[in-house]
Amino acid sequence: MPQKNYLFLGGDAHRVNYKNTRFNRFFDVLISKYAIENQSLYFEYGNQLEKNQYQPEKVYFYEKFFIGFQHLYRLKSRQVNFNWTGFSLFENFLLSNELTHDFILKNNRTEIENWATSLFLPKIAFFTEVIRKIQPKQIHFLCYYSDFNYALLVAANQLEITTVEMQHGPQTDIHLSYGSWTVIPKTGYDVLPRVFWNWDENSASVLNKWMQNNTTYKVKVIGNPWMDYWRAMSQSYANNNFILYSLQPNPITLEQLFTPQLLDCIRSSSEIWFLRLHPRQMNEKDALINFFKKENLLHKINIEAATNDPLPQLLANAKLHVTHFSGTTIEASFFNLKTILLNKNGLVSFPELIAKNQAIYIDYKDEDFVSKFKSNLISLEKPEISPIFEQPIVSNLFP
């Protein structure tokens, strides 16, 4: 592999159809803006399902390389010593909790040791060798919490390479990967990125709650690159004044997404509803179309443009945004587009936006849902406070 200063980790779920390619909406914008194309390399997880990535010569699917490395790794005899100080207390705590009881029974000390020996430690060794060949200054992650990414983080942090997590969705106190941390060692955890790039101050404040007294970690508010890119462009769009509904996959069910009350709203509204599928819902599109055929509402919805057109273009031209608790709520606020939140999780995820009248909450199970929804649709007001970043920190991102 070639030597590069900057390594970017992501998957096809972070890409959109743009410029007739699969374009990474978070990283490709920054790479172009800072003119570091020749210094950059992509590691993509998953199988190579798409073959039209933007600048494909920079994209490596690393999992197939790991398979060969794993075979060679197993041929060498290695002894691993595990230090389980405190694990018994942790194990007893999980056993005492109804939600985690079955988990720890299936993932006891022996199971964890087997997993670490046969899978996780080989991944660390693999990435250690890869990093030494690439010699990057910084490694950038989208969604850092996976086995492979954890292993790469350990390898990079131990080699004292800067590790950066780029925000890709809501970062709230209830998201265990970003909030609710209480005990952080002074030297930090090797499986955590050392730097977090956030869209806004609200997201950064969640992280600062637990890292403000720990100099190992840093937060930068850099804005949302994809949204900033589209705000700076003047492109016309064929559709406008529609209602954009950002759908969400499991555990949100079809019945929760489209209750009889919400279907009444679609049926009676004069606006077309743009139903945007989540990347993990693409295989449900046909079922959704058949569902609306049976409801005789196919003429009231648009799935193709809503799912395939760039999200910022949709947000800039929509009349209203609707979702259960999708992170698109934050992105909608960047365009002064109000969101109706349908799920109580939205209350705890976006309290600042609700306080600023950028989002409102109507429980999807509310008996008066239809009347409340119509009332808010009729009396739409602009948010009280403009959400656009005043001075996002954009300097020295790529030293």
Side-chain angles (χ1 to χ4, degrees), residues 77 93 229 237 242 261 272 275 302:
S77 59
F93 170 75
Y229 173 77
Y237 188 54
F242 51 85
Q261 295 95 323
I272 297 296
L275 309 181
N302 183 318

Side-chain angles (χ1 to χ4, degrees), residues 241-245 269 271-274 320 322 373 377:
N241 213 39
F242 51 85
I243 296 174
L244 176 62
Y245 187 6
S269 65
E271 296 84 7
I272 297 296
W273 283 61
F274 274 46
L320 176 69
V322 179
F373 185 92
L377 181 61

Side-chain angles (χ1 to χ4, degrees), residues 72-114:
L72 295 174
Y73 186 89
R74 285 173 177 166
L75 296 178
K76 300 179 181 179
S77 59
R78 302 170 189 273
Q79 183 175 353
V80 181
N81 296 317
F82 292 91
N83 185 346
W84 288 108
T85 302
F87 184 81
S88 295
L89 291 174
F90 178 63
E91 188 175 28
N92 291 333
F93 170 75
L94 295 182
L95 286 170
S96 67
N97 190 302
E98 183 180 352
L99 293 175
T100 56
H101 180 272
D102 291 344
F103 170 82
I104 194 61
L105 286 179
K106 295 177 183 177
N107 297 275
N108 56 33
R109 188 174 307 192
T110 300
E111 291 295 326
I112 294 174
E113 288 183 359
N114 289 337

Side-chain angles (χ1 to χ4, degrees), residues 30-303:
L30 289 176
I31 291 171
S32 176
K33 180 177 181 178
Y34 290 90
I36 56 171
E37 289 90 343
N38 294 332
Q39 305 175 59
S40 301
L41 189 69
Y42 266 109
F43 269 9
E44 203 98 330
Y45 55 73
N47 295 319
Q48 191 172 355
L49 301 178
E50 301 286 345
K51 295 184 178 180
N52 62 330
Q53 286 88 0
Y54 180 69
Q55 297 186 336
E57 70 280 0
K58 294 181 172 59
V59 181
Y60 287 80
F61 288 82
Y62 57 82
E63 291 185 27
K64 62 182 180 182
F65 294 106
F66 172 70
I67 294 173
F69 176 88
Q70 190 177 24
H71 177 70
L72 295 174
Y73 186 89
R74 285 173 177 166
L75 296 178
K76 300 179 181 179
S77 59
R78 302 170 189 273
Q79 183 175 353
V80 181
N81 296 317
F82 292 91
N83 185 346
W84 288 108
T85 302
F87 184 81
S88 295
L89 291 174
F90 178 63
E91 188 175 28
N92 291 333
F93 170 75
L94 295 182
L95 286 170
S96 67
N97 190 302
E98 183 180 352
L99 293 175
T100 56
H101 180 272
D102 291 344
F103 170 82
I104 194 61
L105 286 179
K106 295 177 183 177
N107 297 275
N108 56 33
R109 188 174 307 192
T110 300
E111 291 295 326
I112 294 174
E113 288 183 359
N114 289 337
W115 163 79
T117 303
S118 62
L119 285 175
F120 193 60
L121 292 179
K123 288 176 181 176
I124 295 174
F126 168 71
F127 281 123
T128 299
E129 292 298 319
V130 169
I131 290 174
R132 284 174 174 159
K133 291 182 180 296
I134 299 175
Q135 298 182 14
K137 294 180 180 178
Q138 284 187 179
I139 303 179
H140 310 82
F141 297 80
L142 283 166
C143 193
Y144 77 88
Y145 37 95
S146 70
D147 270 13
F148 272 109
N149 284 351
Y150 284 142
L152 178 52
L153 279 163
V154 172
N157 286 331
Q158 290 182 353
L159 292 172
E160 298 184 344
I161 295 169
T162 302
T163 51
V164 180
E165 160 84 352
M166 175 75 221
Q167 182 174 352
H168 69 284
Q171 292 184 183
T172 66
D173 286 323
I174 63 172
H175 196 309
L176 296 182
S177 295
Y178 302 105
S180 301
W181 291 86
T182 54
V183 180
I184 303 292
K186 289 184 178 180
T187 55
Y189 289 112
D190 282 346
V191 293
L192 282 180
R194 296 295 193 245
V195 182
F196 291 81
W197 289 353
N198 286 130
W199 295 346
D200 58 350
E201 293 290 350
N202 293 332
S203 298
S205 67
V206 171
L207 295 161
N208 275 321
K209 288 178 183 177
W210 56 265
M211 65 172 64
Q212 59 185 345
N213 296 321
N214 191 311
T215 57
T216 302
Y217 298 100
K218 294 180 175 62
V219 177
K220 282 188 176 184
V221 178
I222 71 162
N224 184 314
W226 188 226
M227 298 296 142
D228 291 342
Y229 173 77
W230 279 93
R231 274 206 304 267
M233 295 180 66
S234 57
Q235 286 199 5
S236 60
Y237 188 54
N239 306 288
N240 58 65
N241 213 39
F242 51 85
I243 296 174
L244 176 62
Y245 187 6
S246 295
L247 307 184
Q248 290 172 270
N250 182 51
I252 303 297
T253 64
L254 181 65
E255 290 74 20
Q256 291 172 314
L257 288 171
F258 299 105
T259 63
Q261 295 95 323
L262 193 134
L263 289 175
D264 284 346
C265 291
I266 296 176
R267 188 173 285 109
S268 60
S269 65
S270 60
E271 296 84 7
I272 297 296
W273 283 61
F274 274 46
L275 309 181
R276 186 173 179 86
L277 296 173
H278 187 276
R280 296 203 305 271
Q281 287 178 302
M282 295 305 177
N283 61 343
E284 301 175 29
K285 183 173 73 171
D286 291 342
L288 199 58
I289 291 174
N290 290 332
F291 172 80
F292 277 94
K293 277 184 180 177
K294 291 179 181 178
E295 294 289 336
N296 196 28
L297 284 173
L298 203 56
H299 64 291
K300 296 287 293 184
I301 65 166
N302 183 318
I303 297 178

